[in-house]
Amino acid sequence: MQSSITQVVSQTLEDNLAQDARAVSDRISLRLTNIERGLSDSAVAISGKDPAGESVQQTLLLTKSRFSAYTDDIVWVSGEGKLLYASAGNISNLLASEPQSKLSFDLPTKRNTPYVSSILDGTISVPVFAVAAPVPPSPMNETMGGVLAAIVPVDSAGSIFLDPYMSENKSMLLISSDGAILAHSPGLFIGRNAVDSSVLLGLVSDDTRDEVKESLQLMSQGESGVLHYTDKGGHQILMAYTPVMVNGEHVWTVAISEPTFVVLRPFVSIFMERQNLSIIALVLITAISAIFIAFSLVFNRRLFFTVNKQDEKISRQLSELTAAYDRLKEQEIIKDEFINIAAHELRTPVLPIVLSAENLADSMPDNSNIRIILRNANRITKLTNDILDVSRIESNTFKLQKQKTSIRSLIDEVIQDAKLKMSKEQEVQIIFQEKAPSDVDDVVIDRGRINQVLVNLLDNAVNFTKSGVIRVVLEQDGTNRIKISIIDSGKGIDPSVLPKLFGKFVTKSVKAKGTGLGLYLCKAIVEAHGGTIFGANNASGEGATFSFTLPVS
């Protein structure tokens, strides 16, 4: 009777353990496939580009960030074996040390497919393996192709791939296709060869050693199976193993083992302690126990697969979202490069147009067509300059050329220019009010950039004021700052614009026909000087006030 129960439960345990091994294998395969796909996308993005270029550096930084859960080391090796990029300095030692490591980087190029390597025996402090993808060669320079790889420490493979499935009684093993131990849940023998008699076989009893050795060889060959063996302590152990396949190729094998007494002992002991029961009661208890065991195992198995399927679905969706995000970032980089190039190229033909139109306007001041050409050419010039300034700000190349400047003289010049630009129909008066002490005048600023801020703010005030007074107020703000305010009596700021007033492309001006970059640039220029800028509607309900501060020294 006891033997029959043991046989039923043992068979159920074999089936469940084999299903566990397949589920873990499928999950690891999905993760490795996601890494390969991400590397392949990045490899295509950097193909044919300068490794030191900004777009390549941004792509590789995004790749490193995407795989930060697995590794901090991303490398790009050229077709000639030259290290083009490495996020960790010790990788160069690895590439220079062993032919095996070079082979691992050569294989993706020769096969033109992604590749998961075995352990790389380099000179770095810890053993590692690589997940690599070929970089398509450039038509101009084929040696600039090569391989893009993520370098993963072997000792982290267990926490990455096995820890989510660990339990108190189960032991888990991860073996590469050449027999190297990548992970072992007790933390033993990592980096050693599994078939070596001094490693795993040293934990097995003599009478089952040959069977275990044969199964370990089958594991390294990509086979699957179930094995019963006895350990050194005399415990009966059940092991299920199955290959991890990536793109139809065997890369690793995962094995799960569990002592059979963990499941068998609670049920067998019931019968050993109740020998005085009648045969009928014993049969009934046996049947009920078997049904209970089968029901519990089936229920747990269904629950495990349901959770695992949902986990795979979420992981797949996360992978798709991550890939979409990476593509969006790449498109953003391409867009920024295009805008920057277009703005530069626009300046070349516009400059002679402006100069020619100015000459014509001087000789024929009453010709309206020439005034239209000059006005629109100046608009294009301002637009290209604004776009280039935005590009410099976002790429952190925006620089100031500071000099000692009379702030009163600068404000006077801007006001005079604004008056000249106003149409004759506008009944607007611009007044300069000086409230700062007379000794507060010279400030160290980039004169051209602060002029740009004043022109933008005053032009906005003129554009939104049909008639009335615009006041430009200079006053001292505390002990070491000045504040300049432009107060108009126009229609004020649209409430929908207020929360994003100093953002890019924010405008509701029909008359000004602006790009929405002016206030964004004003904020960047003022803050680069160490000042602040703000805008709000006037308390009287008529017009708006824009103010900014600057350090006196």
Side-chain angles (χ1 to χ4, degrees), residues 10-281:
S10 179
Q11 183 61 50
T12 304
L13 182 59
E14 284 185 22
D15 294 341
N16 290 341
L17 206 59
Q19 290 182 26
D20 285 346
R22 286 194 294 272
V24 175
S25 170
D26 291 343
R27 187 71 181 88
I28 294 174
S29 175
L30 179 61
R31 289 192 176 189
L32 290 174
T33 300
N34 287 341
I35 298 175
E36 284 189 351
R37 288 175 180 172
L39 287 171
S40 296
D41 290 343
S42 298
V44 171
I46 66 176
S47 174
K49 297 182 179 179
D50 179 8
E54 183 179 353
S55 63
V56 171
Q57 294 292 316
Q58 289 182 355
T59 298
L60 294 174
L61 286 175
L62 285 172
T63 305
K64 176 182 176 181
S65 174
R66 179 176 178 181
F67 300 128
S68 59
Y70 304 99
T71 179
D72 287 330
D73 298 345
I74 301 295
V75 300
W76 179 11
V77 181
S78 73
E80 294 180 339
K82 179 182 178 182
L83 184 64
L84 300 178
Y85 174 89
S87 59
N90 54 8
I91 297 303
S92 57
N93 296 330
L94 173 67
L95 296 176
S97 60
E98 294 289 340
Q100 179 196 357
S101 65
K102 292 185 177 66
L103 178 63
S104 297
F105 290 102
D106 288 341
L107 276 173
T109 304
K110 292 178 180 178
R111 297 163 20 145
N112 198 31
T113 58
Y115 177 72
V116 180
S117 79
S118 57
I119 294 178
L120 307 181
D121 297 325
T123 59
I124 57 178
S125 57
V126 295
V128 297
F129 65 90
V131 183
V135 179
S138 167
M140 304 297 296
N141 186 356
E142 293 189 359
T143 62
M144 286 291 287
V147 173
L148 184 65
I151 309 299
V152 184
V154 170
D155 58 7
S156 66
S159 60
I160 295 172
F161 297 107
L162 297 183
D163 278 3
Y165 310 99
M166 291 296 298
S167 67
E168 182 179 354
N169 297 315
K170 287 185 174 66
S171 175
M172 307 189 79
L173 183 67
L174 198 59
I175 300 175
S176 68
S177 57
D178 61 355
I181 299 174
L182 298 176
H184 188 215
S185 55
L188 304 174
F189 314 125
I190 293 176
R192 304 280 295 278
N193 191 284
V195 187
D196 189 331
S197 59
S198 64
V199 184
L200 293 178
L201 294 179
L203 306 176
V204 180
S205 66
D206 295 339
D207 58 335
T208 57
R209 180 173 296 180
D210 291 340
E211 297 175 30
V212 173
K213 185 175 183 178
E214 181 181 356
S215 294
L216 290 173
Q217 291 172 341
L218 291 174
M219 291 181 202
S220 64
Q221 296 168 9
E223 301 293 335
S224 59
V226 177
L227 167 69
H228 287 271
Y229 68 92
T230 307
D231 66 12
K232 281 290 188 181
H235 302 112
Q236 296 293 320
I237 308 295
L238 177 64
M239 174 185 286
Y241 53 91
T242 191
V244 176
M245 309 295 290
V246 179
N247 295 327
E249 181 179 353
H250 167 236
V251 293
W252 297 341
T253 294
V254 62
I256 305 177
S257 57
E258 185 175 17
T260 56
F261 72 86
V262 172
V263 175
L264 297 176
R265 184 169 58 185
F267 300 101
V268 174
S269 62
I270 294 175
F271 298 96
M272 297 298 294
E273 296 173 0
R274 297 291 185 271
Q275 294 182 0
N276 59 340
L277 292 176
S278 65
I279 189 64
I280 297 176

Side-chain angles (χ1 to χ4, degrees), residues 412-459:
D412 276 330
E413 291 175 13
V414 173
I415 291 175
Q416 294 306 317
D417 290 343
K419 289 179 178 179
L420 292 174
K421 288 189 292 185
M422 281 194 300
S423 66
K424 297 178 180 179
E425 293 79 15
Q426 276 187 287
E427 298 177 357
V428 176
Q429 185 180 7
I430 303 177
I431 299 175
F432 181 20
Q433 295 181 342
E434 301 182 45
K435 295 184 179 181
S438 58
D439 60 338
V440 178
D441 187 35
D442 289 336
V443 290
V444 179
I445 57 173
D446 186 321
R447 194 179 194 282
R449 291 299 184 183
I450 296 301
N451 179 82
Q452 184 179 349
V453 173
L454 288 168
V455 168
N456 273 330
L457 295 180
L458 196 51
D459 281 352

Side-chain angles (χ1 to χ4, degrees), residues 305-325:
F305 276 108
T306 300
V307 173
N308 189 61
K309 286 180 179 179
Q310 290 299 319
D311 185 35
E312 289 180 2
K313 182 179 179 181
I314 293 172
S315 178
R316 192 177 299 109
Q317 291 174 340
L318 179 61
S319 176
E320 292 172 355
L321 287 173
T322 303
Y325 173 75

Side-chain angles (χ1 to χ4, degrees), residues 54 58 332 335-336 389-398 504 520:
E54 183 179 353
Q58 289 182 355
E332 182 73 15
K335 181 207 72 176
D336 290 342
D389 284 342
V390 170
S391 177
R392 293 187 188 102
I393 291 166
E394 295 186 341
S395 61
N396 295 320
T397 60
F398 185 75
K504 286 189 295 185
Y520 173 80

